[in-house]
Amino acid sequence: MSSQTAAQTEAVDTGEAEWTLVIHGGAGVIERDRLTAEQNSAIRTALAHALETGSAILRDGGAAIDAIEATVRELEDDPHFNAGRGAVFTYDGAIEHDASIMDGSTRSAGAVTGTSHTRHPVTLARRVMTESPHVFLRGAGADSFSVEQGLEQVENDWFETDERRRQLEEMLAGEAEGLSAYDIDLKYGTVGAVAMDRDGDVAAATSTGGLTGKRWGRIGDSPVIGAGTYADNRGCAVSATGSGEYFIRVGVAHEICAQIRFRFEQRLAGARASVRADSDGMPDHYIHASEFGLEAADIQEIADRVIAEMGALGGSGGVIVATPWGTGTYAFNTPGMYRGMASSNGGASVAIYGDED
């Protein structure tokens, strides 16, 4: 793959925001001349609808984990995105889903891969987290657990769309002519959401159909905790989208969270060390962690740097980030990323192309 461009970013420092929600619907070669006016409008409407679904929960004092699940369920039901209904086909003409979810307040997590009949894979991932002793279930076992949990089941062809079928046929035709199935025009249609609620808790969720024509049981980063999804109240919540093999190699989601956590701890220690002491050696005052946080510029710089590291290996894609201090951030090295952001302070906005504010 050609060398990566500089990460394209967009961040909002919501200051004392009571809640923040950031969503994505995939990244890749998403340019104005590749979308019709109708597609452009429909995708923006879908993003805005999903954003409002989660925002309503947070606005009413709901938990971040509930907001992100509800948001991702809406994106899974929309055929414009490669998740749930509208997911891409495997090489053999089936549809398989991957999803994961993580609660930053407890670092509890759940994930599934290769499911075939659960309408909302993100909800199945959450049930793995809350109703099983495990973190990660696959294939038939995950489907069986889903049935036991009473989750809505559908026939596999319910997820199919004509456009995804066309894409598979185009890929297979190109392969017959000796062309690579994994070219630079891939759009990584993964969906995801991250949030901070009024309690300062963060959470992240990601859901995908993977790559068109994927073979041999390929698994990308989306269901891998630490690669495509991660949440920790000590740092942030991250959901990723892009060339999964590279996100796995870098451990992108955990890497961003860990760097934010470590920088916060360093800054807090420095602030505490700067407090003057009285004649008895006692500090004039005490700086509590809840009174201290990183600036939006710090969060953006860390996200950009990790995306650049992944890009230097040959990968492309992006991340969304929400911190316990209310900052919402995007970072991506592709021409575009379907995305949206809302907070208690800043209203709501959606965007598609890399040059949008």
Side-chain angles (χ1 to χ4, degrees):
M1 190 169 67
S2 60
S3 61
Q4 300 300 300
T5 60
Q8 301 177 63
T9 61
E10 193 171 349
V12 173
D13 185 352
T14 57
E16 297 300 318
E18 294 182 343
W19 59 265
T20 304
L21 175 65
V22 191
I23 67 173
H24 72 75
V29 185
I30 303 171
E31 300 169 319
R32 285 180 170 81
D33 61 355
R34 290 174 178 264
L35 294 178
T36 66
E38 292 75 15
Q39 289 172 323
N40 179 85
S41 176
I43 290 168
R44 290 178 189 274
T45 297
L47 290 170
H49 174 72
L51 195 62
E52 175 55 27
T53 296
S55 295
I57 293 171
L58 295 167
R59 193 180 299 124
D60 290 341
I65 194 75
D66 294 330
I68 61 167
E69 179 190 0
T71 299
V72 171
R73 282 170 62 100
E74 293 296 324
L75 294 169
E76 287 175 336
D77 275 346
D78 194 295
H80 289 98
F81 307 108
N82 175 17
R85 191 170 203 180
V88 298
F89 286 89
T90 68
Y91 191 87
D92 296 324
I95 292 177
E96 298 176 350
H97 298 113
D98 303 332
S100 60
I101 193 167
M102 189 166 183
D103 185 338
S105 65
T106 61
R107 280 180 284 167
S108 297
V112 294
T113 186
T115 66
S116 301
H117 299 288
T118 301
R119 177 172 175 176
H120 293 114
V122 69
T123 296
L124 176 54
R126 186 171 183 185
R127 291 295 182 90
V128 172
M129 178 179 75
T130 61
E131 305 301 327
S132 86
H134 308 300
V135 170
F136 206 166
L137 300 182
R138 66 179 174 88
D143 281 333
S144 177
F145 178 73
S146 180
V147 172
E148 291 178 15
Q149 289 295 306
L151 301 184
E152 183 177 357
Q153 305 295 301
V154 295
E155 294 299 321
N156 194 249
D157 61 8
W158 184 85
F159 300 110
E160 296 183 10
T161 64
D162 292 341
E163 175 61 13
R164 298 305 189 193
R165 176 70 69 179
R166 182 198 66 76
Q167 290 172 354
L168 175 66
E169 291 172 351
E170 181 179 304
M171 191 217 80
L172 294 176
E175 187 180 72
E177 296 175 4
L179 302 178
S180 171
Y182 303 108
D183 60 47
I184 61 172
D185 289 336
L186 282 172
K187 299 179 183 66
Y188 303 103
T190 305
V191 304
V194 295
M196 179 206 75
D197 61 30
R198 289 182 174 178
D199 291 328
D201 294 330
V202 298
T206 312
S207 182
T208 189
L211 289 178
T212 298
K214 62 184 180 181
R215 303 179 71 178
W216 310 298
R218 180 261 185 188
I219 301 169
D221 66 304
S222 296
V224 179
I225 301 301
T229 302
Y230 201 75
D232 183 345
N233 277 7
R234 300 172 300 173
C236 67
V238 181
S239 174
T241 175
S243 43
E245 284 72 12
Y246 294 92
F247 280 78
I248 292 171
R249 289 165 60 185
V250 176
V252 165
H254 181 272
E255 182 71 15
I256 290 172
C257 189
Q259 289 195 27
I260 289 173
R261 172 190 165 195
F262 296 151
R263 183 173 297 187
F264 167 73
E265 291 174 349
Q266 290 172 346
R267 295 278 177 83
L268 179 60
R272 287 173 172 171
S274 69
V275 174
R276 292 182 179 180
D278 60 21
S279 59
D280 295 324
M282 299 299 293
D284 288 342
H285 62 280
Y286 182 77
I287 300 175
H288 192 272
S290 64
E291 303 170 334
F292 194 85
L294 292 182
E295 299 294 328
D298 288 298
I299 308 304
Q300 193 69 67
E301 186 267 326
I302 290 170
D304 288 347
R305 185 170 62 227
V306 176
I307 289 296
E309 177 185 351
M310 182 271 302
L313 294 178
S316 63
V319 294
I320 53 175
V321 181
T323 75
W325 311 293
T327 302
T329 306
Y330 315 110
F332 53 100
N333 65 359
T334 52
M337 182 168 78
Y338 302 135
R339 60 200 189 274
M341 184 184 299
S343 77
S344 53
N345 287 357
S349 62
V350 298
I352 294 177
Y353 310 110
D355 58 0
E356 292 186 78
D357 294 329

